[in-house]
């Protein structure tokens, strides 16, 4: 009897039909009041903590902005003071002629830009980390990830980092500037732009070279200080040295007095004496200090004047260290043989040499 009762009880429970929809619970006014009370109590319990965090973040940001502005202004004043000090020290003498105002201005702008960018990056990045720390965020994973990413980027962009650091030191050390003529090993020409990664050069034929700063192993600046103009005069070894020296001294003194060569020459043209003496030639060397980048111009003009002066003095310039000696003209009849007596058929020698007539009956 117990089994049918259990089956009947199980069948009596109604099964859900598809037409029935689930009941949606609508929050009542009492539930809303409870939620608002909980939120208010949470705010009341934590408002002091959030207020302290907000004030701390605001203080960090204000200090970072003020410190950044102060550091940038100090860097600008320091660079301006350095420029004024250098200009006052150079004075109006020879050192003053070497000062390129535009170049110094560009160099100061580049140095100031690098220092201001570095200061801003350090200050703002430190402030950002302090803000994250104020929100109680664990910075250890972030710093570890940043370190790993920095190492990976450093290995991948090592050439870029090398170029950047080399450019910074080139600007700080004033190795060259815009308008200088340099020999960078891989290319040479006039500097038209100096960057932190690439230096632009204009070659002698007008081409533009882009030289990476990290690839420059040596730099020869042809525009700083002074240049040297040198001319070698090669003459015959039998020329009169006193007359030759007097002629060259006259050319040097006259060129040093005339314009514009008196401005391009920063010293007298000196004769260094005999540079070499050979059996058939000798070399006299002339040299002078010139304005940077003007040595070739002075050398061309000096060669022109020396050639004209030596031609007027009757001193011959030879074209090399070895001269083929001149030979006396040969006698055109030297290779001709003397007339022979046998050429005259009436001479006794020609008669005696006449062959005998053949005898009759003689064997042939």
């Amino acid at each position: 009897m117990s089994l049918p009762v259990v089956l009947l009880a199980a069948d009596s429970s109604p099964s859900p039909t598809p037409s029935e929809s689930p009941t949606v619970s609508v929050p009542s006014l009492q539930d809303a009041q409870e939620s608002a009370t909980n939120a208010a109590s949470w705010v009341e319990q934590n408002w002091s903590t959030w207020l302290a965090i907000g004030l701390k973040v605001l203080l960090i940001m204000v200090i970072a902005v003020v410190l950044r502005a102060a550091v940038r202004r100090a860097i600008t004043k320091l660079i301006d003071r350095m420029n004024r000090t250098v200009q006052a020290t150079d004075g109006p003498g020879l050192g003053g002629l070497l000062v390129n105002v535009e170049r110094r201005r560009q160099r100061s702008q580049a140095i100031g830009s690098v220092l201001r960018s570095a200061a801003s990056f350090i200050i703002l990045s430190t402030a950002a980390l302090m803000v994250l720390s104020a929100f109680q965020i664990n910075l250890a994973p972030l710093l570890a990830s940043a370190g790993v990413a920095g190492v990976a980027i450093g290995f991948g962009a090592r050439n870029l980092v090398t170029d950047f650091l080399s450019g910074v030191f080139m600007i700080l050390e004033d190795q060259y500037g815009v308008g200088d003529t340099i020999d960078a090993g891989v290319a040479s020409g006039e500097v038209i732009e100096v960057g932190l990664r690439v230096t632009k050069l204009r070659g002698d034929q007008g081409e533009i070279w882009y030289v990476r700063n990290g690839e420059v192993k040596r730099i020869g600046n042809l525009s700083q200080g002074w240049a040297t103009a040198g001319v070698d005069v090669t003459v015959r070894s039998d020329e009169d040295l006193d007359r030759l020296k007097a002629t060259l001294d006259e050319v040097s003194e006259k060129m040093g007095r005339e314009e514009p060569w008196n401005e391009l020459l920063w010293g007298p043209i000196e004769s260094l004496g005999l540079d070499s003496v050979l059996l058939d030639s000798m070399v006299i060397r002339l040299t002078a200090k010139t304005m940077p980048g003007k040595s070739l111009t002075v050398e061309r003009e000096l060669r022109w004047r020396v050639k004209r002066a030596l031609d007027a003095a009757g001193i011959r310039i030879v074209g090399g260290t070895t001269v083929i000696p001149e030979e006396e003209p040969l006698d055109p009849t030297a290779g001709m043989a003397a007339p022979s007596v046998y050429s005259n058929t009436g001479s006794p020698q020609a008669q005696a040499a006449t062959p005998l007539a053949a005898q009759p009956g003689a064997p042939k």
Side-chain angles (χ1 to χ4, degrees):
M1 291 296 294
S2 62
L3 181 59
V5 174
V6 173
L7 294 176
L8 181 60
D11 294 338
S12 62
S13 60
S15 61
T17 59
S19 61
E20 294 181 359
S21 60
T23 59
V24 179
S25 61
V26 178
S28 62
L29 181 59
Q30 185 178 359
D31 295 335
Q33 290 178 353
E34 291 179 357
S35 299
T37 303
N38 294 333
S41 62
W42 183 85
V43 171
E44 184 178 1
Q45 293 175 0
N46 298 280
W47 71 271
S48 59
T49 303
W50 286 103
L51 180 60
I53 293 175
L55 292 177
K56 186 176 180 180
V57 171
L58 181 62
L59 181 62
I60 292 173
M61 295 178 63
V62 170
I63 292 177
V65 171
V66 173
L67 182 61
R68 176 175 176 270
V71 171
R72 291 171 65 92
R73 186 175 180 181
I75 292 173
T76 303
K77 288 187 176 181
L78 178 61
I79 293 176
D80 293 341
R81 183 178 300 176
M82 292 173 58
N83 290 337
R84 289 194 299 266
T85 303
V86 172
Q87 292 177 2
T89 304
D90 290 336
L94 179 61
L97 296 176
L98 303 179
V99 176
N100 190 332
V101 179
E102 181 65 19
R103 172 183 171 181
R104 189 172 298 280
R105 184 185 64 83
Q106 293 179 353
R107 176 171 172 261
S108 301
Q109 288 182 354
I111 295 175
S113 177
V114 171
L115 294 179
R116 285 190 291 266
S117 299
S120 299
F121 176 77
I122 294 174
I123 294 173
L124 295 180
S125 60
T126 304
L129 293 177
M130 294 178 66
V131 169
L132 294 177
S133 178
F135 284 102
Q136 297 181 356
I137 298 177
N138 189 10
L139 299 180
L142 180 62
L143 295 177
S145 302
V148 173
V151 171
I153 294 175
F155 277 109
R158 56 184 181 274
N159 291 333
L160 181 62
V161 175
T162 302
D163 297 340
F164 180 81
L165 294 178
S166 300
V168 170
F169 282 107
M170 286 179 182
I171 294 175
L172 292 177
E173 297 174 0
D174 194 17
Q175 297 180 6
Y176 54 83
V178 176
D180 289 349
T181 301
I182 66 172
D183 181 5
V186 294
S188 61
E190 181 182 356
V191 180
I192 60 177
E193 184 178 343
V194 178
L196 294 177
R197 192 182 69 87
V198 174
T199 298
K200 293 183 182 180
L201 304 177
R202 185 174 295 278
D204 297 334
Q205 305 298 327
E207 68 276 10
I208 296 180
W209 298 97
Y210 294 85
V211 181
R212 289 172 44 194
N213 296 329
E215 293 184 350
V216 177
K217 304 302 180 182
R218 63 169 180 83
I219 296 176
N221 196 324
L222 307 180
S223 300
Q224 288 184 352
W226 44 267
T228 302
V231 175
D232 293 333
V233 182
T234 306
V235 298
R236 295 175 60 91
S237 59
D238 56 355
E239 296 290 348
D240 188 359
L241 290 178
D242 295 334
R243 187 163 65 99
L244 177 61
K245 186 176 186 303
T247 303
L248 297 179
D249 291 342
E250 182 181 358
V251 172
S252 302
E253 293 177 1
K254 184 178 179 181
M255 183 175 175
R257 293 192 302 266
E258 295 180 358
E259 294 183 356
W261 310 110
N262 55 356
E263 297 180 358
L264 299 181
L265 290 171
W266 285 4
I269 301 177
E270 299 178 353
S271 176
L272 302 181
L274 291 176
D275 191 66
S276 63
V277 179
L278 302 177
L279 294 176
D280 48 11
S281 65
M282 57 183 177
V283 179
I284 298 91
R285 184 167 182 80
L286 302 177
T287 183
K289 290 183 179 181
T290 67
M291 183 182 296
K294 299 298 181 181
S295 59
L296 293 179
T297 304
V298 174
E299 289 176 358
R300 294 188 182 102
E301 180 65 19
L302 184 58
R303 291 191 186 97
W304 181 280
R305 292 172 180 261
V306 168
K307 178 63 170 62
R308 296 182 61 180
L310 295 183
D311 289 344
I315 301 175
R316 182 178 178 184
I317 298 178
V318 296
T321 57
T322 303
V323 181
I324 300 176
E326 295 184 356
E327 298 180 356
E328 296 181 358
L330 300 177
D331 185 5
T333 63
M336 299 176 58
S340 175
V341 295
Y342 293 100
S343 61
N344 186 3
T345 57
S347 64
Q349 291 83 356
Q351 293 293 333
T354 301
L356 297 176
Q359 300 294 329
K364 297 183 180 178

